Amino acid sequence: LDFRSGARVEELNKLIQEFTKHDQREYDDQRALEIHTAKDFIFSMLGMVQKLDQKLPVANEYLLLSGGVREGVVDIDLDELNVYARGTDYDMDFTLLVPALKLHDRNQPVTLDMRHSALCHSWLSLRLFDEGTISKWKDCCTIVDHINGATNYFFSPTKVADWFYDSISIVLSEIQKKPQRGMPKVEKVEKNGTIISIILGVGSSRMLYDIVPVVSFKGWPAVAQSWLMENHFWDGKITEEEVISGFYLVPACSYKGKKDNEWRLSFARSEVQLKKCISSSLMQAYQACKAIIIKLLSRPKAISPYHLRSMMLWACDRLPASYLAQEDYAAHFLLGLIDDLQHCLVNKMCPNYFIPQCNMLEHLSEETVMLHARKLSSVRSDPAEHLRTAIEHVKAANRLTLELQRRGSTTSIPSPQSDGGDTNQPDDRLAKKLQQLVTENPGKSISVFINPDDVTRPHFRIDDKFF
């Protein structure tokens, strides 16, 4: 029994397993092709954005993450985002980090201009770049004139996001003038704060892409250098080179910062590597806990799934690996995560995992943290009931998706972007790709496995082999 709630640990484990079963879904060949079609469409659209005014780097490197921004895959404030729900608005969600600027040949460690901003944030002067880059991006900068007559251009996250949204809108309207057979239907394009959210209809699937303009760095920031000196749960499992291969500035501001100038440090690339070292039972508990808190703690916006992710990483550092590896301990991990989150709220303290001196809850009012702590107390008193509610929510989302699929397979509604042909028909290039897979793997099942919070596994699978 769990001492606090009287819940049976065995029952909680079963409920977490049931939640995981409904939350992680395997898709057939058709869905695999639809996912691929949407990704190709987004990538080719970004290629056209680059050609518009050559602002984006020609050879660019995107980071594609399973799960949208609302799922906490990057540390961006959720209060500026429209609410989208799985099942109602989309079936699958992704986050795509698109470098507007790259600093890839700097010596380590990278020193940023943090004089004007809060911890974990930075301004970015274009003086680090060549004249060509400055002239290209001048219109997306705020200008500061110094006493000595020099002019400094600071890369503006809000102006970059405005430019990006305008450019994407131009490209999509051009694409729609020359529709191609099998092309995804653009169901929604919205600017949510500094991210651009696109929902695509492909066959019977709807895919949400949260596209985030970022600044990409190779190396490691000087402000996080001391973190490398500590012992961590991933030591010996993955190399330090894998963990510190690069970081980003994402367009997010601190509570009192200047929105037009301030970027937030993001270690999304490192987090992808660290997740390889987290046990499946802890990840299942995290996913279940996240589903509970997203609904429960949504008003007022104070706690995001990214806070929960940070606490999970701290727990991995704090607790013995042998304990965290226990397969039947998911219930213990769920209860522990709820306790941890409540502890963070009551103490108004949640350190950033990579920059511990940055407290991510510092700006919250006493009223807000106590309101959320009381809500969490009700969860801790009856975790089984809240898990059942989370299961019902994910089942309902899946039912909506299946209903849409059924309707999509029985009716063929021409997309406004298509030539009136069958919208489920893939374009020739994708058809050839899949045909090649089928030809090379006779008698084998080709499918796609989607886990919203595990981007470490390849999506395509032939029988039991991933690639």
Side-chain angles (χ1 to χ4, degrees):
L1 290 179
D2 167 41
F3 184 92
R4 172 73 190 90
S5 65
R8 298 189 69 81
V9 169
E10 187 183 357
E11 185 195 5
L12 293 178
N13 273 328
K14 282 180 180 169
L15 287 169
I16 292 168
Q17 283 169 11
E18 188 182 352
F19 174 81
T20 303
K21 182 182 79 178
H22 294 294
D23 194 46
Q24 296 179 359
R25 298 159 295 162
E26 292 205 27
Y27 295 126
D28 57 15
D29 299 355
Q30 179 62 31
R31 186 58 69 93
L33 192 57
E34 289 166 356
I35 290 168
H36 215 53
T37 304
K39 187 178 75 170
D40 270 21
F41 178 84
I42 293 288
F43 282 16
S44 58
M45 176 201 77
L46 289 170
M48 292 171 74
V49 168
Q50 195 281 328
K51 285 175 189 166
L52 267 186
D53 51 13
Q54 277 79 49
K55 272 188 162 80
L56 293 180
V58 178
N60 218 349
E61 188 183 340
Y62 310 136
L63 182 67
L64 179 62
L65 303 166
S66 291
V69 167
R70 293 158 194 78
E71 291 291 314
V73 295
V74 282
D75 183 16
I76 289 183
D77 312 303
L78 305 182
D79 51 355
E80 291 187 342
L81 275 60
N82 293 341
V83 177
Y84 300 151
R86 192 169 105 183
T88 308
D89 301 297
Y90 63 88
D91 308 310
M92 284 160 287
D93 51 337
F94 302 92
T95 299
L96 188 64
L97 304 190
V98 179
L101 287 175
K102 297 196 298 183
L103 267 171
H104 277 197
D105 28 297
R106 311 286 297 170
N107 293 323
Q108 299 177 10
V110 180
T111 305
L112 295 165
D113 185 356
M114 297 179 165
R115 293 169 300 171
H116 317 283
S117 50
L119 261 171
C120 218
H121 296 79
S122 180
W123 290 24
L124 183 69
S125 168
L126 287 196
R127 278 192 299 196
L128 295 169
F129 298 86
D130 57 67
E131 284 301 320
T133 304
I134 293 171
S135 62
K136 253 195 291 195
W137 284 106
K138 259 184 193 175
D139 55 341
C140 290
C141 291
T142 56
I143 299 166
V144 177
D145 290 318
H146 290 290
I147 301 165
N148 62 7
T151 301
N152 204 347
Y153 296 95
F154 287 103
F155 206 43
S156 168
T158 50
K159 290 185 178 182
V160 170
D162 289 342
W163 163 82
F164 206 24
Y165 176 69
D166 291 343
S167 300
I168 285 173
S169 301
I170 290 165
V171 164
L172 288 177
S173 68
E174 283 301 310
I175 290 173
Q176 287 165 18
K177 286 176 191 171
K178 302 171 191 170
Q180 291 179 359
R181 188 171 174 171
M183 194 168 70
K185 176 187 175 185
V186 181
E187 296 190 352
K188 193 174 281 186
V189 185
E190 286 187 338
K191 188 165 168 289
N192 282 289
T194 51
I195 51 182
I196 293 89
S197 299
I198 299 176
I199 296 178
L200 297 176
V202 190
S204 57
S205 305
R206 295 158 304 163
M207 298 182 211
L208 166 64
Y209 268 85
D210 283 328
I211 301 177
V212 187
V214 298
V215 182
S216 168
F217 294 83
K218 280 279 193 283
W220 199 245
V223 69
Q225 202 67 22
S226 59
W227 177 79
L228 293 174
M229 308 301 141
E230 306 292 331
N231 293 323
H232 297 290
F233 72 97
W234 47 268
D235 292 337
K237 296 176 184 172
I238 50 176
T239 65
E240 190 173 282
E241 286 70 31
E242 287 174 287
V243 175
I244 65 168
S245 62
F247 69 100
Y248 298 98
L249 295 181
V250 295
C253 181
S254 64
Y255 181 61
K256 289 181 178 172
K258 197 172 175 186
K259 276 190 174 183
D260 287 346
N261 283 26
E262 200 169 84
W263 299 78
R264 181 171 296 158
L265 273 78
S266 167
F267 300 91
R269 186 186 287 274
S270 304
E271 286 163 12
V272 168
Q273 299 299 327
L274 298 187
K275 270 201 270 180
K276 294 177 185 175
C277 308
I278 297 175
S279 70
S280 59
S281 48
L282 177 56
M283 193 54 85
Q284 286 173 12
Y286 163 74
Q287 292 283 49
C289 189
K290 184 172 72 167
I292 291 168
I293 70 157
I294 281 178
K295 294 278 187 296
L296 189 78
L297 307 184
S298 59
R299 292 284 181 271
K301 286 266 173 42
I303 291 290
S304 88
Y306 189 81
H307 292 115
L308 188 66
R309 176 191 289 237
S310 301
M311 288 185 315
M312 176 175 65
L313 292 172
W314 281 118
C316 289
D317 272 359
R318 186 177 72 241
L319 296 161
S322 55
Y323 168 74
L324 293 173
Q326 297 289 330
E327 287 185 11
D328 55 349
Y329 273 31
H332 297 288
F333 301 152
L334 173 72
L335 298 172
L337 286 169
I338 295 168
D339 287 340
D340 257 10
L341 185 52
Q342 199 164 15
H343 176 83
C344 287
L345 282 165
V346 169
N347 291 285
K348 217 167 80 170
M349 171 64 74
C350 181
N352 181 287
Y353 181 66
F354 299 92
I355 305 176
Q357 59 271 37
C358 171
N359 174 14
M360 297 190 291
L361 299 183
E362 191 175 30
H363 63 280
L364 296 181
S365 70
E366 296 295 331
E367 293 79 12
T368 299
V369 292
M370 289 315 294
L371 171 69
H372 284 322
R374 280 196 291 272
K375 285 182 183 177
L376 273 180
S377 181
S378 71
V379 176
R380 191 63 185 81
S381 301
D382 195 355
E385 185 55 37
H386 284 85
L387 274 172
R388 288 188 197 99
T389 304
I391 290 165
E392 286 311 309
H393 277 131
V394 76
K395 277 183 174 176
N398 290 344
R399 278 196 299 272
L400 282 167
T401 295
L402 286 170
E403 181 58 37
L404 193 83
Q405 273 182 278
R406 272 197 293 272
R407 276 184 298 176
S409 60
T410 54
T411 60
S412 177
I413 304 161
S415 140
Q417 286 85 40
S418 78
D419 56 4
D422 180 2
T423 55
N424 291 334
Q425 178 68 33
D427 67 40
D428 290 344
R429 190 160 50 90
L430 284 164
K432 282 173 185 166
K433 271 186 200 172
L434 200 67
Q435 187 58 49
Q436 185 185 354
L437 287 178
V438 173
T439 308
E440 290 172 357
N441 299 277
K444 293 185 179 179
S445 164
I446 300 172
S447 58
V448 162
F449 184 88
I450 295 292
N451 176 350
D453 214 81
D454 184 1
V455 296
T456 63
R457 295 170 68 180
H459 285 175
F460 283 86
R461 189 181 75 180
I462 297 176
D463 283 352
D464 293 328
K465 290 181 183 171
F466 287 86
F467 67 98

